[in-house]
């Protein structure tokens, strides 16, 4: 507990340990982001939520970096209204939430670079992939609560097939 002559020798390891603890235990949600060129309000947007469960947690860093690149791609795609991401590194689970002017805009974006290459690269490394789509009843931004509820419903359907 005593500090060295400069005081830094003991402070830096404490900060490093704290940082490592936070980064391993939880990853904050990347909040809802909208494109720089924000489109006008859309009466019936398409919302998509997804869940990816990786087979091996050693793939988490690469998948997370790829997810950040895809997030940037989606925000620059025509018809994008907004995106958000939740990463749970200890469980190897990732959730996405996005809104689009139309289903056609979403479908055009997912075949673009780097999304399509990333999905091919991680297909065999993914234990579970779930997707759900809906049109919200109002112009309000989709919520994570709604997304998780709908993903749970989709998982229940998949479990009974």
């Amino acid at each position: 507990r005593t500090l060295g002559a400069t005081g830094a020798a003991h402070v830096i390891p404490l900060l490093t340990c704290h940082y490592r603890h936070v980064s391993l235990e939880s990853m904050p949600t990347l909040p809802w982001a909208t494109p720089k060129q924000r489109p006008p309000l859309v009466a019936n947007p398409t919302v998509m939520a997804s869940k990816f469960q990786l087979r091996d947690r050693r793939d988490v860093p690469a998948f997370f970096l790829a997810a950040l690149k895809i997030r940037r791609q989606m925000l620059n795609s025509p018809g994008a209204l907004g995106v958000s991401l939740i990463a749970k590194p200890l469980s190897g689970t990732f959730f996405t939430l996005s809104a689009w002017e139309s289903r056609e805009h979403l479908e055009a974006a997912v075949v673009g670079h780097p999304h399509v290459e990333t999905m091919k690269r991680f297909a065999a490394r993914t234990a579970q992939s779930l997707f759900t789509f809906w049109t919200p009843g109002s112009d309000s931004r989709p919520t994570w609560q709604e997304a998780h509820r709908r993903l749970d419903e989709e998982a229940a359907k998949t479990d009974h097939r």
Side-chain angles (χ1 to χ4, degrees):
R1 299 239 179 206
T2 59
L3 296 177
T6 64
H10 296 282
V11 173
I12 292 173
L14 289 173
L15 291 174
T16 303
C17 290
H18 177 69
Y19 173 76
R20 285 184 188 153
H21 174 74
V22 170
S23 67
L24 289 176
E25 290 300 317
S26 64
M27 176 62 87
T29 300
L30 293 181
W32 188 258
T34 56
K36 290 179 183 174
Q37 298 296 322
R38 192 168 183 177
L41 288 177
V42 176
N44 295 308
T46 296
V47 176
M48 186 206 69
S50 64
K51 175 184 178 183
F52 300 96
Q53 180 67 52
L54 298 174
R55 293 184 189 282
D56 190 333
R57 287 186 302 175
R58 289 178 290 187
D59 288 324
V60 166
F63 192 87
F64 181 70
L65 289 174
L68 292 177
K69 291 176 184 176
I70 290 169
R71 180 177 185 266
R72 189 175 321 116
Q73 174 210 346
M74 295 301 155
L75 285 170
N76 289 311
S77 296
L81 300 174
V83 299
S84 183
L85 170 76
I86 294 175
K88 295 190 174 185
L90 287 182
S91 65
T93 308
F94 291 80
F95 297 91
T96 71
L97 179 61
S98 61
W100 299 85
E101 288 183 31
S102 69
R103 181 79 178 245
E104 292 77 20
H105 283 101
L106 168 61
E107 290 171 358
V110 299
V111 296
H113 173 77
H115 184 273
V116 72
E117 293 89 355
T118 300
M119 293 302 104
K120 287 177 185 175
R121 185 172 135 212
F122 283 96
R125 299 187 230 178
T126 305
Q128 179 189 47
S129 299
L130 286 174
F131 302 90
T132 185
F133 304 86
W134 72 95
T135 300
S138 68
D139 292 335
S140 64
R141 182 170 69 199
T143 66
W144 275 112
Q145 180 180 4
E146 175 79 359
H148 287 300
R149 183 184 67 76
R150 289 177 178 271
L151 285 167
D152 289 345
E153 289 172 359
E154 190 63 33
K157 287 185 220 173
T158 304
D159 292 342
H160 290 98
R161 289 183 186 162

